[in-house]
Amino acid sequence: MVQTASVGGARPKATVRDDKGQFWLVKPAIATDAGNIPQLEHAGQQWGAASGLDFATTVFHPSMAGLGAVRVLRFDRSGDRRHMCVSAASLLQAEYPDDLSQAERWSYPRLADELRLVGAPPQDRIELFGRMVFNAVCGNDDDHVRNHAIVYRAGERRWRLAPAFDVVPNPVETPGRLHMQLCLGRFDISRETALVDSHRFGFSGKAEAAGYLDALLGRITAGFERIAHWLDPAPRRALHERLTHNVAVLMGGDTRTGKR
Ligand SMILES: Nc1ncnc2c1ncn2[C@@H]1O[C@H](COP(=O)(O)OP(=O)(O)O)[C@@H](O)[C@H]1O
Ligand SMILES: [Mg+2]
């Protein structure tokens, strides 16, 4: 894993091919991890899918020591066939992580604009909105511009938002901000920031976006019950608490009681 070329990213990883000829990325635990990152990544990916969002398929491989690896299906391959991909860093012409002066380009609404410009269908912008909300709820504040991508679907002859990948709930704390802006100039997680630029994701108005947001929060809450078994007791409790807190924040209610 150290000596061969990697697809990139911060963590060590290797590509493997299964007996059906499909390519997967394998991402193992490393000694400096603040928690069981492969388990958290698998839970995050499963949770997104259980919430009705388009998340890359993952398989969790536990190991004897309690840490393991997560295996992620590659969306840039179908057997030997390669699919062109472009990262959000390229789409937004934004460097990560070096150039803080470009932080205004790290933005979900801007990425939604780019999806429209490359000809992706309207549902991809709604999907992006859903991922922004999901990242806010699960506390994935590593949602930077190299963790979003588009992929060219030759069968459709158009670019599509790639499945979500590298969605890992923060193992240490519940973040109050995301890495990309939710609305113009603002990174903080709130109902207001989630909704104020909703027209850029293709919603007809704030009412439609609010209805979608509330329904999605219900799906994310129900989804957690279905995936919680993947988590050890301590992270399960922590994530359940985080879910309750963030759903209340995004419902625009009282964060202490969880009531609206
Ligand atoms: N499922 C996938 N299919 C194709 N490319 C992927 C997939 N997951 C990640 N990548 C690419 O590999 C890079 C590193 O993977 P990532 O999961 O983000 O690892 P890290 O945790 O090291 O950041 C990503 O920035 C993306 O370009
Ligand atoms: Mg990454």
Side-chain angles (χ1 to χ4, degrees), residues 64-202:
M64 304 283 272
L67 297 174
V70 62
R71 179 156 60 95
V72 191
L73 185 64
R74 284 184 66 159
F75 52 75
D76 60 336
R77 297 290 181 92
S78 304
D80 284 327
R81 175 147 198 183
R82 292 169 186 265
H83 305 294
M84 290 190 288
C85 291
V86 175
S87 75
S90 297
L91 280 173
L92 297 166
Q93 299 179 47
E95 292 298 321
Y96 171 85
D98 299 313
D99 197 346
L100 263 175
S101 72
Q102 295 190 341
E104 98 274 0
R105 298 192 185 169
W106 306 342
S107 154
Y108 283 101
R110 271 187 184 235
L111 184 53
D113 294 343
E114 294 299 328
L115 287 175
R116 187 169 49 78
L117 290 172
V118 299
Q123 73 248 38
D124 287 13
R125 279 187 285 159
I126 306 287
E127 168 75 23
L128 182 66
F129 178 85
R131 291 184 198 174
M132 172 179 86
V133 170
F134 183 82
N135 286 334
V137 174
C138 81
N140 172 35
D141 58 344
D142 194 35
D143 57 328
H144 55 74
V145 289
R146 294 201 190 286
N147 279 338
H148 303 274
I150 57 171
V151 56
Y152 189 74
R153 300 284 179 210
E156 297 180 40
R157 303 175 76 180
R158 61 182 172 181
W159 290 93
R160 299 295 307 264
L161 183 62
F165 58 91
D166 206 11
V167 175
V168 187
N170 186 313
V172 179
E173 59 183 12
T174 292
R177 297 159 59 86
L178 293 180
H179 209 101
M180 303 221 302
Q181 296 176 13
L182 291 87
C183 67
L184 185 64
R186 287 181 63 180
F187 297 86
D188 55 304
I189 297 168
S190 72
R191 186 171 180 87
E192 188 199 349
T193 53
L195 289 177
V196 74
D197 276 346
S198 53
H199 57 285
R200 289 170 73 183
F201 296 89

